[in-house]
Amino acid sequence: MAGRQPERMVLLISIVERGSGNKLNKLYRENQVFVNLRCEGAGTATSEIMDILGLGSSEKDILISTAAASAASALLDRLDDELRGAVPGRGIAFSLPLTAVNNLVAAFVGLMTRSERDREDDSMEKQQKNSLILVTVNQGFTETVMDTARKAGARGGTIIRARWTGDESFAQSRGITTLQEEKEIIFIVVPKDIRNQVMDAVNKAHGIHSEAGAMVCAMGIEQLAHLG
């Protein structure tokens, strides 16, 4: 229809056992999710806990995808239903709202996606039951931070190695004498009702002026599916 607004876009994040990322990428393409970035991470649970829970390896493949909201919603519904078990091992997938996206990416996704706009309303009704907490922490303090998060109600997280590339004036303006370059980013998914208590606990014990130097933020999850 002429003049129809482009479909809303979301960010789809999927965390699966190492080695399952390629199969998940193929599955996503078959379900109209085409723009994918894959990186490696690690779970925060000990090997003993992983064995008890039957969760397999703590090493993770992380797939970050940009998708039309209707396609992401349809895919997450299918992963929670008839596609459950289609990806080896266990994991989690969830969508996050995007406030803006590159026009070229949006045009490509819109061209490739068969629109199912009615699914957007369903997705919006489901949103905000869970939150994604992102904690950027100095390397070597992940387990300490996760211990605090668990005591506040979090069940676990996934780590990605990173490096600080920001302006040193950021540290100076906040009275930070040393800003360690080597960082780790922790992804923690929690129910919305305990989000603030987890964030407050981490910030109080390991905030930016502490040795851990944690920076904490959160965003609402629209839809979530457990894999495997």
Side-chain angles (χ1 to χ4, degrees):
M1 182 185 298
R4 189 175 187 179
Q5 292 295 315
E7 184 168 355
R8 187 172 62 89
M9 305 289 288
V10 298
L11 192 68
L12 184 63
I13 297 181
S14 313
I15 303 171
V16 294
E17 292 179 18
R18 183 70 55 80
S20 298
N22 287 336
K23 185 168 185 179
L24 188 64
N25 182 55
K26 181 180 179 182
L27 178 66
Y28 279 17
R29 290 178 64 86
E30 292 170 353
N31 285 269
Q32 303 190 79
V33 175
F34 304 101
V35 182
N36 300 316
L37 174 68
R38 185 165 66 88
C39 54
E40 296 180 348
T44 61
T46 64
S47 58
E48 291 82 3
I49 293 176
M50 299 292 287
D51 290 341
I52 291 170
L53 298 179
L55 295 180
S57 171
S58 64
E59 295 185 332
K60 304 296 180 183
D61 281 343
I62 302 168
L63 204 65
I64 301 173
S65 316
T66 305
S70 62
S73 179
L75 174 58
L76 289 169
D77 283 342
R78 293 192 69 200
L79 288 169
D80 239 355
D81 190 11
E82 74 262 29
L83 288 179
R84 183 178 288 274
V87 180
R90 297 188 181 183
I92 191 173
F94 53 89
S95 59
L96 302 166
L98 286 175
T99 57
V101 68
N102 181 282
N103 286 338
L104 184 60
V105 173
F108 171 76
V109 172
L111 180 65
M112 298 293 290
T113 304
R114 297 186 299 275
S115 180
E116 299 180 55
R117 289 297 183 90
D118 55 325
R119 287 188 175 271
E120 284 200 54
D121 295 332
D122 293 338
S123 177
M124 294 299 286
E125 290 177 4
K126 299 174 186 174
Q127 71 178 328
Q128 305 303 309
K129 292 181 180 179
N130 299 282
S131 293
L132 173 66
I133 299 175
L134 293 177
V135 184
T136 303
V137 63
N138 289 335
Q139 199 172 100
F141 290 90
T142 300
E143 283 305 319
T144 304
V145 171
M146 278 307 307
D147 284 344
T148 300
R150 289 190 189 97
K151 290 175 183 176
R155 298 183 62 184
T158 301
I159 310 161
I160 298 179
R161 291 284 180 88
R163 179 176 289 274
W164 174 262
T165 60
D167 195 322
E168 290 185 3
S169 61
F170 170 84
Q172 295 170 358
S173 67
R174 285 155 179 78
I176 303 170
T177 56
T178 58
L179 189 62
Q180 182 177 319
E181 288 188 358
E182 293 76 17
K183 300 288 183 181
E184 290 172 330
I185 304 173
I186 312 172
F187 288 59
I188 307 173
V189 176
V190 297
K192 182 183 177 182
D193 57 0
I194 69 167
R195 176 196 62 201
N196 289 348
Q197 70 189 47
V198 173
M199 293 180 68
D200 289 345
V202 170
N203 190 56
K204 183 177 180 180
H206 315 288
I208 196 167
H209 290 285
S210 72
E211 194 175 2
M215 292 182 280
V216 189
C217 64
M219 58 196 78
I221 291 175
E222 288 196 358
Q223 192 174 348
L224 181 148
H226 291 279
L227 309 178

